Amino acid sequence: SQQGEEDPQALSIQEGENATMNCSYKTSINNLQWYRQNSGRGLVHLILIRSNEREKHSGRLRVTLDTSKKSSSLLITASRAADTASYFCATGKNSGYSTLTFGKGTMLLVSP
Amino acid sequence: GAGVSQSPRYKVAKRGQDVALRCDPISGHVSLFWYQQALGQGPEFLTYFQNEAQLDKSGLPSDRFFAERPEGSVSTLKIQRTQQEDSAVYLCASSLSTGDSYEQYFGPGTRLTVT
């Protein structure tokens, strides 16, 4: 079963614009991660935010986490055509190891 | 260094056939995960190994699915008597250690089509 739900399901923007994707989840978490998947490079880890963190940055990526609303957002600034991919949020269980529960993903298309 | 590799990349099986999917994790990675990804969906957890021990197989959809990692490195996911609903991409991931703050590195996946 899917834990997270990404919103929107699909997003189409022009190069240079910002892209924002949202994720909602259902149960308590230790951390939330964002992954990118495209046909060229498969599924790649982007960023991890822990449940006691509210915001995290990595290059052009900014992730926020609101545990009271059980939601997270991923912002990609100054998007590039190479950012075209599906983006998934994934939550880790409260356990000694992390089996990830993924959402259905947001498909992002960045046009030149 | 080398990432996670999986073989075969594509597999077509007739309904009822058995298949075996191989995963070579990153050398030295303790944790190994298998996920199943249906078309248009996110990956779903199947099973987890810590070294050679299978600690969690709660995601395996039926007793036709079996996974092993006998020497704590290479893992094989076996599906017996394949059904059409088994058609999916099977992803393997490894991480350096246990604990939930370690990044999982994914392989390219095996696309299984059952006809």
Side-chain angles (χ1 to χ4, degrees):
Chain A
S1 61
Q2 309 279 182
Q3 153 83 305
E5 289 285 337
E6 286 89 345
D7 167 52
Q9 288 188 327
L11 181 60
S12 183
I13 60 174
Q14 300 288 318
E15 266 192 328
E17 294 180 340
N18 296 342
T20 299
M21 288 159 267
N22 303 296
C23 165
S24 59
Y25 57 93
K26 297 172 187 171
T27 61
S28 63
I29 59 171
N30 278 351
N31 63 64
L32 185 141
Q33 303 180 38
W34 285 90
Y35 282 79
R36 178 180 64 212
Q37 186 176 42
N38 59 32
S39 57
R41 291 197 59 197
L43 197 63
V44 174
H45 177 267
L46 294 176
I47 194 166
L48 179 151
I49 186 166
R50 291 185 171 79
S51 58
N52 61 354
E53 297 176 311
R54 291 296 168 258
E55 186 171 313
K56 201 161 183 180
H57 296 255
S58 176
R60 293 184 295 113
L61 306 179
R62 172 179 169 255
V63 168
T64 62
L65 179 64
D66 186 335
T67 53
S68 67
K69 295 181 179 177
K70 291 187 168 60
S71 68
S72 173
S73 68
L74 171 67
L75 168 68
I76 305 173
T77 59
S79 63
R80 305 167 182 167
D83 294 329
T84 293
S86 290
Y87 291 81
F88 297 91
C89 67
T91 53
K93 282 197 306 195
N94 287 320
S95 64
Y97 53 89
S98 181
T99 62
L100 296 174
T101 304
F102 288 83
K104 292 184 179 180
T106 291
M107 193 177 307
L108 173 66
L109 174 63
V110 182
S111 301
Chain B
V4 178
S5 60
Q6 293 186 245
S7 60
R9 291 293 310 277
Y10 303 91
K11 177 70 179 177
V12 178
K14 287 188 175 7
R15 191 161 57 98
Q17 281 185 333
D18 297 349
V19 298
L21 312 180
R22 177 187 169 107
C23 172
D24 285 80
I26 294 173
S27 178
H29 277 198
V30 168
S31 295
L32 186 145
F33 306 81
W34 283 98
Y35 295 85
Q36 178 191 59
Q37 186 174 21
L39 191 63
Q41 302 291 315
E44 293 205 9
F45 168 75
L46 294 177
T47 187
Y48 165 70
F49 289 87
Q50 182 179 315
N51 296 308
E52 69 278 4
Q54 188 175 22
L55 298 188
D56 189 336
K57 51 184 180 179
S58 61
L60 295 177
S62 78
D63 58 8
R64 296 185 296 103
F65 286 70
F66 170 77
E68 59 183 6
R69 192 187 186 198
E71 296 177 0
S73 56
V74 171
S75 177
T76 304
L77 176 67
K78 297 179 180 176
I79 309 173
Q80 297 177 323
R81 305 180 303 282
T82 51
Q83 304 293 314
Q84 282 196 314
E85 61 263 27
D86 299 335
S87 294
V89 175
Y90 290 85
L91 297 167
C92 174
S94 69
S95 66
L96 182 60
S97 186
T98 60
D100 57 12
S101 294
Y102 287 91
E103 176 181 344
Q104 293 187 23
Y105 295 84
F106 282 80
T110 294
R111 181 177 298 276
L112 172 65
T113 303
V114 181
T115 60

